[in-house]
């Protein structure tokens, strides 16, 4: 495991944990993944002590997930999984973007908040929520109660293979987003949830009261808008070819959330530096297969023969 030096503070991430079964011309490979899990491991690799609250089964897949989290120093508080652990079959479209088919466990995922989970949330400096079932009112009610008073970073991350009710998802998402310190959205979120462009979605979220909105647009870079102003950054040019974009969004969220652990920047220059660092981290993550967050420094270390997990 390779982590940066901790700036202090702690984080909790709430959402999904699963096995990604990747099928392409190279064959079939399995990776431990899930957006929330990737964010949790990413935060830990950036030096933030992190707890993941997610549904994980008592099965072989669940054992792999638990082992992976333990290897990366992430504490897991697992909700029971009545249908076993979640799994996604991932194939590549013609333009290289991933396409997902989810099993029943993933489609019917649920999160419960034990006393340990509530204590972890209460002690966290930032609580990130990603790929959460916002279209299930009972799940939203439980989440809202569990994170009352917490500083929130939210990525709606709707997956069409999991989404059962778009309008309900938007209602649940916006209920929590209105009180968030940070909301990350991408062009896909705008298309799937709002039938609109990313700039319109960014303005809508700011109008709801979101403290800062991070809008990512793939090859067009990203914009981060807050009360301090709006800053933008292009995708970062790093050595090596882009291998896999699947973890870019999760890495971006993790990097910005890590920068908020000790408090939000007061000036636009601080937000700009935070966004530029996040884009560097996302670009480094894309230089290897899978969703594991990487930094430019870790890539340089690997080139020198220093290998992390």
């Amino acid at each position: 495991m390779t982590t940066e030096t901790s700036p202090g503070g702690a984080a909790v991430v709430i959402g999904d944990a699963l096995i990604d079964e990747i099928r392409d011309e190279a064959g079939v490979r399995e990776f431990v993944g899930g957006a929330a899990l990737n964010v949790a491991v990413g935060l830990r690799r950036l030096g933030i002590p992190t707890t993941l609250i997610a549904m994980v089964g008592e099965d072989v897949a669940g054992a792999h997930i638990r082992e992976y989290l333990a290897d990366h120093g992430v504490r897991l508080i697992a909700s029971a999984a009545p249908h076993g652990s979640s799994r996604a079959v991932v194939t590549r479209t013609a333009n290289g973007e991933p396409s997902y088919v989810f099993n029943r466990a993933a489609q019917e995922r649920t999160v419960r908040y034990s006393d340990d989970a509530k204590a972890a949330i209460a002690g966290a400096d930032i609580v990130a929520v990603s790929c959460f079932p916002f279209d299930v009112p009972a799940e939203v009610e439980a989440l809202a109660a569990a994170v009352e008073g917490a500083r929130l970073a939210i990525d709606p991350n709707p997956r069409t293979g999991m989404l059962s009710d778009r309008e309900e998802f938007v209602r649940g998402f916006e209920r929590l987003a209105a009180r968030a310190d940070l909301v990350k959205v991408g062009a896909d979120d705008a298309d799937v949830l709002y039938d609109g462009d990313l700039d319109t979605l960014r303005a809508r979220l700011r109008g709801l009261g979101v403290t800062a909105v991070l809008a990512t647009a793939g090859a067009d870079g990203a914009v981060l808008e807050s009360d301090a102003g709006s800053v933008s950054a292009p995708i970062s040019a790093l050595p090596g070819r882009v291998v896999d974009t699947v973890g870019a969004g999760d890495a971006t969220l993790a990097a910005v959330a890590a920068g908020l652990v000790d408090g939000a920047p007061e000036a636009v220059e601080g937000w700009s530096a935070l966004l530029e660092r996040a884009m560097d981290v996302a670009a480094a993550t894309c230089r290897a297969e899978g969703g594991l967050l990487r930094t430019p420094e870790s890539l340089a270390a690997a080139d020198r023969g220093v290998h992390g997990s």
Side-chain angles (χ1 to χ4, degrees):
M1 178 181 72
T2 301
T3 62
E4 295 186 355
T5 302
S6 173
V12 164
V13 183
I14 302 170
D16 64 331
L18 51 76
I19 298 295
D20 282 322
E21 181 182 316
I22 298 177
R23 300 180 180 182
D24 56 24
E25 66 279 359
V28 178
R29 301 173 305 290
E30 293 189 352
F31 292 88
V32 173
L37 181 145
N38 288 339
V39 173
V41 172
L43 280 162
R44 186 66 195 98
R45 286 174 65 83
L46 293 172
I48 309 298
T50 302
T51 297
L52 174 65
I53 300 173
M55 186 189 78
V56 178
E58 298 293 339
D59 49 19
V60 173
H64 288 315
I65 292 168
R66 288 180 170 85
E67 181 180 19
Y68 182 87
L69 291 169
D71 285 347
H72 287 285
V74 174
R75 178 191 181 199
L76 172 66
I77 299 178
S79 289
H83 304 298
S85 295
S86 299
R87 175 176 290 267
V89 176
V90 187
T91 56
R92 300 289 177 183
T93 61
N95 64 1
E97 289 299 315
S99 173
Y100 299 86
V101 176
F102 297 95
N103 69 354
R104 182 182 179 186
Q107 294 175 20
E108 300 180 15
R109 66 202 186 285
T110 184
V111 179
R112 293 293 175 262
Y113 304 93
S114 63
D115 289 342
D116 282 347
K118 292 174 182 177
I121 292 168
D125 296 281
I126 194 82
V127 176
V129 181
S130 185
C131 205
F132 186 85
F134 284 112
D135 51 352
V136 182
E139 295 290 331
V140 175
E141 288 290 341
L143 174 64
V147 301
E148 182 68 35
R151 296 176 62 224
L152 293 177
I154 300 176
D155 183 351
N157 215 340
R159 305 290 182 85
T160 54
M162 292 182 179
L163 191 63
S164 61
D165 187 327
R166 187 180 74 163
E167 291 183 359
E168 190 62 53
F169 190 104
V170 170
R171 280 193 290 270
F173 160 57
E174 290 189 350
R175 174 181 173 184
L176 272 295
R179 51 197 261 200
D181 287 63
L182 174 73
V183 171
K184 175 199 166 291
V185 287
D188 288 348
D189 301 326
D191 289 339
V192 171
L193 296 177
Y194 293 90
D195 291 328
D197 64 41
L198 194 53
D199 290 338
T200 300
L201 176 53
R202 190 174 78 241
R204 178 185 178 93
L205 292 171
R206 286 284 290 157
L208 289 174
V210 180
T211 303
V213 178
L214 170 62
T216 60
D220 292 327
V223 175
L224 204 166
E225 184 176 338
S226 69
D227 290 342
S230 180
V231 298
S232 61
I235 59 172
S236 297
L238 295 180
R241 68 183 182 90
V242 172
V243 174
D244 190 352
T245 61
V246 70
D250 301 333
T252 304
L253 177 61
V256 176
L260 297 180
V261 164
D262 290 330
E266 296 182 359
V268 70
E269 292 81 7
W271 286 107
S272 182
L274 192 56
L275 180 58
E276 289 175 6
R277 175 59 176 170
M279 297 304 285
D280 286 346
V281 169
T285 300
C286 291
R287 264 59 184 179
E289 188 174 29
L292 180 65
L293 181 145
R294 291 166 172 83
T295 64
E297 296 79 13
S298 70
L299 293 181
D303 287 341
R304 296 193 302 270
V306 180
H307 298 281
S309 61

